[in-house]
């Protein structure tokens, strides 16, 4: 049986980069979890002595702080620097961009609209870069725009993980209202790349294995996309959930993984599938 | 019978302004007709000696040139100035704005997309303000964008008379493609103001009179909107077409006029309706 990985799966560019940066700084602590995967956090702790602090107060107690992909609010960064901390900045470059845009547009006198979830760490960071907090507004729905005291010049950015179609709704409402709308499409297509690659692979595979958290919404969506094209699509968290019966008579097994699934988990799954194949072959030849 | 004018009708702000400017410069000539209405052109000629030149070659033969609302290409303006002509600039301020935007955005290194008709005088003028003609593109359809060599930073303006919904289609395609899209909503709502006002009036009137050219598309659209709300809606070019039978038993006669209909034509129609009423009353009392 052939095993084929989706052309894009698992960690996005920014998370891979952040983990690499953390590994290069043993003994530091990440401010917030680097990834929503306990196994990977444990691995970083045991192999690289990377700690985890969950609040600003805790962050002030450590010497070397890794800023995760989401970034942090500007004033927190400033305070940590003022306190002489070593800052290891692993903010995703796709998140640094909207931070810089908000800072620049705010300086140039634009009202700022940030399309995203005001409670998400990425957005808390991005919006904090406005020179005057009264110039920046976070919205999730077009209807929220109505009551905003926007100037005639508006700049708009999006949370990196939003859907482009939803962003366009906000943009359209602004274009009909303001004289100038400066639209920065800061949406990252990593999520969609994994989804598109999984769909392509599911079309040709006899079966699909999707590896990721059973409660992870992005993993569940990957699984649902795979099922749409390939009836025999299974969602597993790790290699222990593999069932030898799944592979009987199959020619091509496709594999994808959620955005929080480390590659070593994927490799463990592949290794176990090969073991299952060998055991099955041995049993058959007995 | 009460006669009520729509709250907005006839000439838009820019055309009214241009005619006033022309009247203040007797003996000058307009470069292209100031308005698509022969009676008004004739009135300007007989009352203010305002001539009409149709080509750049002809424009070079006169001393004082009125630039009409649409504006003219930048190089023509420059040449006329260099030749020492008196330039009476009646370009609509709503058209000057996109001209200036194109000039500024082109200087700042943006690709320019102009949403409009490349053969329309307004657009020929607007697009001519790009510092480098290779930076500016005129499109009418979203599909035309695909093959354009756009940079990552794009500025977009619209012909003043376009529909906002069509403009948004272009904007959306650009947002999905470029890193930054600077959207300048340069659409003027004068056309829609006349339409909305006509619809409101037609709802309450017993009958509607729409005054304008029978071949004018904006007048025909006004008439069609009125008919939708008021069955007895008539399209006439002037007072000679009024039929006394229309007014029998009516309580409220609404009036609107196309964008090329001078107000004196509207006033003539109102005067004639009053005459018809008096004649009818006199006949009744005999």
């Amino acid at each position: 049986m052939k095993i084929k990985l989706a052309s894009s799966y698992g960690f996005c560019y920014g998370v891979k980069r952040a983990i690499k940066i953390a590994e290069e700084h043993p003994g530091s602590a990440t401010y917030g979890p680097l990834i929503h995967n306990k196994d990977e956090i444990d691995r970083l702790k045991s192999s690289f002595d990377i700690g985890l602090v969950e609040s600003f107060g805790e962050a002030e107690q450590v010497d070397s702080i890794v800023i995760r992909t989401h970034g942090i609010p500007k004033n927190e960064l400033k305070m940590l620097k003022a306190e002489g901390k070593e800052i290891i900045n692993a903010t995703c470059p796709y998140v640094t961009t909207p931070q810089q845009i908000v800072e620049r547009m705010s300086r140039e006198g634009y009202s700022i609209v940030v399309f995203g979830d005001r409670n998400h760490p990425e957005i808390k960071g991005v919006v904090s870069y406005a020179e005057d907090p009264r110039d920046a507004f976070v919205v999730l729905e077009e209807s929220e725009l109505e009551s905003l005291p926007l100037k005639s010049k508006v700049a708009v950015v999006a949370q990196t993980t939003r859907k482009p179609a939803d962003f366009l709704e906000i943009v359209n409402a602004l274009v009909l209202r303001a004289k100038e709308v400066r639209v920065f499409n800061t949406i990252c297509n990593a999520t969609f790349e994994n989804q598109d690659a999984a769909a392509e692979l599911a079309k040709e595979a006899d079966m699909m294995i999707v590896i990721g958290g059973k409660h992870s919404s992005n993993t569940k969506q990957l699984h649902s996309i795979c099922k749409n094209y390939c009836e025999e699509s299974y969602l597993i968290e790790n290699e222990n959930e593999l069932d030898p019966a799944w592979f009987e008579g199959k020619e091509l097994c496709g594999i994808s993984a959620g955005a929080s699934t480390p590659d070593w988990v994927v490799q463990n799954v592949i290794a176990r599938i090969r073991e299952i194949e060998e055991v099955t072959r041995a049993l058959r030849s007995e």
Side-chain angles (χ1 to χ4, degrees), chain A residues 101-169:
Chain A
I101 290 168
V102 167
E103 190 164 40
R104 186 159 54 91
M105 290 299 100
S106 163
R107 255 185 219 146
E108 291 186 21
Y110 287 78
S111 287
I112 316 277
V113 171
V114 179
F115 170 51
D117 174 359
R118 73 185 76 243
N119 298 313
H120 192 284
E122 175 188 323
I123 295 306
K124 284 183 182 171
V126 166
V127 76
S128 76
Y129 278 79
E131 295 276 290
D132 184 333
R134 291 170 302 182
D135 284 339
F137 308 92
V138 181
V139 300
L140 254 185
E141 304 282 341
E142 186 201 317
S143 59
E144 295 171 63
L145 294 172
E146 278 169 34
S147 57
L148 299 184
L150 297 174
K151 294 186 261 189
S152 66
K153 288 163 66 181
V154 179
V156 58
V157 298
Q159 190 172 350
T160 52
T161 48
R162 290 283 146 192
K163 285 187 190 154
D166 298 339
F167 183 47
L168 291 179
E169 279 192 25

Side-chain angles (χ1 to χ4, degrees), chain A residues 81-114:
Chain A
K81 277 182 184 168
E83 290 170 19
K85 306 293 178 194
E86 182 193 14
I87 303 294
I88 301 145
N89 199 341
T91 305
C92 176
Y94 294 124
V95 175
T96 306
T97 298
Q99 288 175 347
Q100 291 170 340
I101 290 168
V102 167
E103 190 164 40
R104 186 159 54 91
M105 290 299 100
S106 163
R107 255 185 219 146
E108 291 186 21
Y110 287 78
S111 287
I112 316 277
V113 171
V114 179

Side-chain angles (χ1 to χ4, degrees), chain A residues 165-276:
Chain A
D166 298 339
F167 183 47
L168 291 179
E169 279 192 25
I170 301 291
V171 168
N172 290 348
L174 289 172
V175 168
L176 295 180
R177 178 170 164 182
K179 275 193 183 164
E180 178 187 345
V181 184
R182 217 157 154 174
V183 187
F184 297 87
N185 185 351
T186 51
I187 293 172
C188 168
N189 53 7
T191 309
F192 311 105
E193 277 174 6
N194 280 5
Q195 289 174 355
D196 292 349
E200 281 313 301
L201 183 52
K203 280 177 192 170
E204 56 166 324
D206 298 316
M207 63 174 298
M208 286 292 299
I209 308 265
V210 177
I211 313 162
K214 295 226 163 90
H215 301 292
S216 148
S217 66
N218 100 75
T219 305
K220 284 191 283 184
Q221 206 179 343
L222 270 182
H223 182 219
S224 145
I225 287 168
C226 289
K227 270 201 120 159
N228 188 38
Y229 296 105
C230 176
E231 185 61 34
E232 286 197 54
S233 294
Y234 304 98
L235 168 54
I236 62 171
E237 295 205 343
N238 57 52
E239 68 275 17
N240 298 321
E241 297 177 33
L242 290 169
D243 180 342
W246 296 345
F247 304 96
E248 277 168 24
K250 298 299 190 305
E251 288 182 6
L252 176 59
C253 168
I255 293 183
S256 179
S260 300
T261 306
D263 204 46
W264 55 267
V265 176
V266 176
Q267 296 308 326
N268 286 351
V269 168
I270 293 173
R272 179 65 63 87
I273 294 174
R274 289 296 177 215
E275 277 174 30
I276 289 172

